[in-house]
Amino acid sequence: MRFIIQQTLNALQLGSVYALIALGYTMVYGILRMINFAHGDIFMVSTYLGFFVASFLLGWALHLPMAVIFVLTLLLAMFGTSLLAVFIERVAYKPLRQAPRISAVITALGVGLFLENFTLATIGPEPRILPQVVPVINFNIGGVAVSSIQILILAISALVMFILDTIVRRTMTGMAMRAISFDKTVVPLMGIPVDRIISITFALGSSMAAVGGVLYGIAYMMDPYMGIRIGWWAFISAVVGGIGNIRGAMIGGYILGFVEIFVAAFLPSTYRDFVAFALLLLLLVFKPTGILGMPVVEQKV
Amino acid sequence: MFKKVALLLLVLVLVGAFVACAPPVPAEIKIGVNAELTGGIPVVGASCKNAAEMAVKEVNDAGGLEVGGRKYKVTLLIEDNEDKAESAAAAAQKLNTAGVLVHIGANASRNAIPASTVCEDAKLPMISPWSTNPKTTAGKKYVFRACFIDDFQGVVAAKFAINELKANTASVLYDVASEYNKGIAEIFKKTFEEAGKQVVAFETYTTGDKDFSAQLTKIRASGADVLFLPNYYSEVPLQVQQAHKLGYTDTIFGSDSWGNLELIDLCGADCEGLFFTTHYAPDIATPKAQKFIADYEAAYGKTPDDVAALTYDAFGLAFQAIQAAGKIDRQAVRDALASITKYEGVTGTMEFRGTGDPVKSAVIIQIKNGKFTYYTSAAP
């Protein structure tokens, strides 16, 4: 039983990160019908941004309290990453909006490669850890090990996902996003600034990735290629949850976290990815649009 | 007509001059170094070059190498292999054409393996200081190395766990996608179990994974006495930290891939007190090693790493073999190398028993106060 509880905690931690990144994939797909393959690398850049902000704030002579440094790191990383994503959208994706969909996908892959190699060339290949902005305290509750970092990851992820969900469901901007996602041809006629809403979508999606990035940097380690593997798992989370659906992406992220951890927990770990993806394929065979996805009806114009 | 006769005479004179000038025996011994001076691991190339220059300078300062009652000056030819397989082969070819007696290098196995093929074909004795992959020397007559092979580390680690750590059960977490890690992990398991002990958790991951919590939770639940991590220094800190966060408190140890100071930077206090097996320890106590370290520090202002020590030993092996051969001849040097029964090196005592892999001891290092500290030696 302790073993299962421990593995559940491990799965929730990993699932939170997948869910946060999956949101960016699903939001961009929802609004543009485009898969932003650079998103995993945007996540990677956000971790490095967090690293530099935290190092700078800790090195600063002001001796800010840890909690302030942590919140500032999180906010500045979110802000910087949003700017980057909006810039990428304007420069690389907007000119291709009328081009065949495959062009935008290839451009996104190119942007991802650019971000990886740019980081590699300017910062270097050696792995780094985020300076300690959160004190590590290990608790032992009835034989189950829980660390302060684990609690922080679970709490912050749940909080920002709740905020995002509220924005999308309860605000005018959120309504505009859902409207564009519903019908791209009619909505601009109603006076909704499509370009601005698309920018806001990119900003929101990438700031979720930045929350994931900073939390990931605290719990794990960063290197220029980290975005590839995590990006894939998060993308698949979005697909499993039903791409285009925000709550679906959250659920999908946690499902992938659970599958990854529990397959390794009960089967030889060498089979982990193989079994995990076989299970997901099976799910998609029976539910091709994902758990919360709606079948896409192509509109005839 | 006159012009033609003059030309013919000129040619004859020139040919005569060359024949007359060619000495019956060379006055010097050429040794070639094939090193990773540029590319991905320039630190390795620099250590190799430094140690090579030091080894040659020592011999020349003593008046040269005495072979068959005559003193020869040693000249060093250094080629950069750019840490690329094809450049390593080209560098070996170039050194062969330049007429070197012994080829030292390359260091990383990915470069040493192609270079070894060239040397084998050219019947040129080669000694790789640092390549631990069995393929470098396997089935080759002219290729040797100054370090032990991967398999040996697995054996040493298993014996260390049994004898020093008094472990009855062990767990392993290794990268199943990397030849080096997988090889050591499997040999460790085999040796440990042959001694009547039990490997209770044998867990894997693939290169690039950052979350090991599922495997480490299993390892903790298995109740193993020790945890063996034969993985690279860039991944080990995460594994150790996650193990500690999951409440694992027993001894953790690893292999020579830990031996980079970056490990301590990334790992911090979590790695304090842990062990790993490697080729050499800077604070090892033999007088020969101490002299080497002092000389190296005086010449280059830094502590020699394992590549420098092994390169120095590769030269030591070459010099001993040339002297034993008694003549400047590649075949004779190869035969002498193969029959070395005792060489006292900086990295320990070595002998060759019919293969290119030396029988030598390994060193166990403990991380103490943020430093790699000599703990004990392990005999083969």
Side-chain angles (χ1 to χ4, degrees):
Chain A
M1 193 61 210
R2 265 184 309 185
F3 182 73
I4 306 248
I5 296 173
Q6 184 75 65
Q7 295 289 21
T8 306
L9 278 173
N10 297 340
L12 283 172
Q13 173 178 338
L14 200 59
S16 300
V17 177
Y18 289 154
L20 286 170
I21 304 164
L23 286 169
Y25 282 107
T26 226
M27 289 169 75
V28 168
Y29 182 85
I31 207 157
L32 287 180
R33 293 286 179 274
M34 168 203 154
I35 293 159
N36 179 13
F37 277 118
H39 192 63
D41 298 300
I42 291 174
F43 156 77
M44 176 273 293
V45 172
S46 79
T47 315
Y48 274 95
L49 279 177
F51 170 79
F52 288 117
V53 172
S55 311
F56 174 75
L57 290 177
L58 281 174
W60 213 13
L62 274 180
H63 299 299
L64 296 164
M66 282 291 197
V68 177
I69 293 185
F70 172 71
V71 171
L72 276 177
T73 303
L74 203 58
L75 291 178
L76 286 173
M78 286 166 79
F79 180 68
T81 312
S82 306
L83 281 188
L84 175 73
V86 170
F87 176 74
I88 289 172
E89 194 273 325
R90 281 287 151 93
V91 173
Y93 303 156
K94 198 180 165 196
L96 293 168
R97 214 172 279 161
Q98 305 308 325
R101 216 173 283 169
I102 190 81
S103 313
V105 169
I106 291 167
T107 310
L109 285 170
V111 170
L113 280 172
F114 171 82
L115 292 176
E116 279 160 30
N117 288 293
F118 182 78
T119 314
L120 189 70
T122 52
I123 301 172
E126 62 276 5
R128 286 163 195 273
I129 38 172
L130 209 86
Q132 238 188 38
V133 286
V134 179
V136 185
I137 308 161
N138 295 325
F139 305 101
N140 190 328
I141 305 164
V144 176
V146 187
S147 75
S148 50
I149 288 175
Q150 208 157 23
I151 298 170
L152 185 85
I153 290 179
L154 299 187
I156 302 248
S157 311
L159 179 72
V160 295
M161 282 193 265
F162 175 74
I163 294 174
L164 179 80
D165 195 65
T166 312
I167 291 176
V168 173
R169 276 167 199 271
R170 304 254 181 265
T171 64
M172 287 301 280
T173 313
M175 194 190 280
M177 280 178 190
R178 284 180 290 137
I180 295 175
S181 167
F182 188 71
D183 192 327
K184 228 188 335 195
T185 40
V186 180
V187 164
L189 302 176
M190 305 186 146
I192 292 174
V194 175
D195 282 346
R196 200 200 303 161
I197 298 296
I198 289 175
S199 293
I200 292 174
T201 309
F202 268 86
L204 276 176
S206 56
S207 54
M208 289 298 117
V211 174
V214 171
L215 294 176
Y216 190 88
I218 291 173
Y220 304 99
M221 213 182 256
M222 65 197 84
D223 65 72
Y225 294 118
M226 68 191 250
I228 301 173
R229 185 187 178 280
I230 302 161
W232 274 114
W233 280 78
F235 168 61
I236 295 159
S237 304
V239 173
V240 165
I243 194 151
N245 186 303
I246 287 178
R247 287 186 178 174
M250 298 176 191
I251 295 171
Y254 286 105
I255 290 180
L256 257 85
F258 270 87
V259 168
E260 179 174 344
I261 294 289
F262 277 88
V263 171
F266 291 105
L267 296 169
S269 34
T270 316
Y271 298 129
R272 185 193 62 197
D273 292 6
F274 155 68
V275 175
F277 284 108
L279 285 176
L280 298 176
L281 274 176
L282 216 61
L283 183 126
L284 289 177
V285 166
F286 291 106
K287 199 115 178 43
T289 51
I291 292 170
L292 295 183
M294 294 291 161
V296 179
V297 183
E298 285 295 329
Q299 284 171 334
K300 295 196 178 89
V301 182
Chain B
M1 186 62 201
F2 173 74
K3 266 189 183 168
K4 276 187 183 167
V5 172
L7 201 66
L8 191 70
L9 279 174
L10 188 67
V11 167
L12 281 175
V13 168
L14 279 176
V15 167
F18 271 120
V19 170
C21 283
V25 274
E28 57 172 23
I29 295 171
K30 285 187 200 161
I31 295 188
V33 170
N34 184 343
E36 291 78 354
L37 297 178
T38 60
I41 45 172
V43 180
V44 167
S47 291
C48 181
K49 179 169 175 275
N50 288 348
E53 283 170 348
M54 199 175 114
V56 168
K57 187 169 177 294
E58 275 174 15
V59 166
N60 286 339
D61 285 353
L65 193 68
E66 194 175 327
V67 183
R70 201 186 139 182
K71 288 223 169 188
Y72 292 84
K73 195 172 163 290
V74 179
T75 21
L76 194 61
L77 303 178
I78 300 181
E79 282 295 320
D80 179 15
N81 62 36
E82 302 166 315
D83 191 21
K84 286 183 197 152
E86 63 276 14
S87 307
Q93 201 67 62
K94 198 169 163 191
L95 291 170
N96 177 42
T97 315
V100 299
L101 181 60
V102 180
H103 172 289
I104 309 273
N107 290 298
S109 294
R110 57 180 173 268
N111 307 320
I113 294 169
S116 73
T117 315
V118 172
C119 289
E120 180 72 11
D121 289 347
K123 297 193 187 323
L124 165 62
M126 157 172 163
I127 309 173
S128 169
W130 199 55
S131 164
T132 54
N133 190 311
K135 284 181 195 144
T136 310
T137 57
K140 296 184 184 109
K141 267 185 76 181
Y142 291 84
V143 184
F144 300 84
R145 68 177 106 216
C147 53
F148 46 67
I149 57 173
D150 290 343
D151 291 4
F152 175 59
Q153 269 195 92
V155 174
V156 168
K159 286 185 178 164
F160 172 71
I162 297 166
N163 299 329
E164 297 277 337
L165 302 175
K166 310 283 177 220
N168 283 314
T169 53
S171 55
V172 185
L173 174 67
Y174 68 97
D175 183 351
V176 74
S178 166
E179 186 92 18
Y180 167 87
N181 312 37
K182 189 167 174 266
I184 295 180
E186 280 165 0
I187 298 285
F188 173 85
K189 183 169 189 271
K190 189 165 162 267
T191 316
F192 197 76
E193 285 177 344
E194 275 170 4
K197 314 282 181 183
Q198 244 190 318
V199 174
V200 287
F202 198 61
E203 296 296 321
T204 64
Y205 65 96
T206 44
T207 319
D209 278 5
K210 297 279 157 59
D211 187 286
F212 312 98
S213 58
Q215 293 96 319
L216 290 168
T217 302
K218 269 167 105 171
I219 285 169
R220 190 188 166 210
S222 75
D225 294 336
V226 290
L227 169 59
F228 182 48
L229 299 174
N231 307 318
Y232 285 98
Y233 69 86
S234 49
E235 293 168 329
V236 168
L238 263 183
Q239 294 161 357
V240 171
Q241 285 165 349
Q242 287 181 20
H244 286 164
K245 273 184 204 146
L246 289 165
Y248 185 88
T249 48
D250 291 316
T251 307
I252 302 175
F253 61 111
S255 57
D256 75 312
S257 48
W258 284 32
N260 186 306
L261 288 170
E262 203 155 310
L263 176 93
I264 292 171
D265 291 344
L266 292 168
C267 199
D270 279 296
C271 280
E272 193 62 26
L274 307 189
F275 301 93
F276 63 94
T277 59
T278 191
H279 307 277
Y280 137 95
D283 51 353
I284 198 166
T286 72
K288 176 154 186 175
Q290 275 176 350
K291 182 181 177 302
F292 163 73
I293 292 162
D295 290 350
Y296 191 94
E297 278 173 347
Y300 304 108
K302 55 186 164 194
T303 311
D305 56 12
D306 54 354
V307 179
L310 289 166
T311 304
Y312 188 81
D313 277 349
F315 272 86
L317 284 168
F319 292 151
Q320 186 169 327
I322 295 167
Q323 285 180 318
K327 54 182 172 179
I328 309 303
D329 175 63
R330 286 179 179 179
Q331 183 63 40
V333 171
R334 185 225 83 94
D335 294 342
L337 255 177
S339 55
I340 282 182
T341 51
K342 188 168 188 243
Y343 165 73
E344 284 272 5
V346 170
T347 61
T349 309
M350 302 179 206
E351 70 166 292
F352 287 101
R353 290 184 193 155
T355 66
D357 306 324
V359 178
K360 65 184 288 192
S361 56
V363 171
I364 310 234
I365 300 271
Q366 184 174 29
I367 301 170
K368 249 193 201 163
N369 303 321
K371 282 204 178 78
F372 293 155
T373 316
Y374 172 77
Y375 183 75
T376 182
S377 293

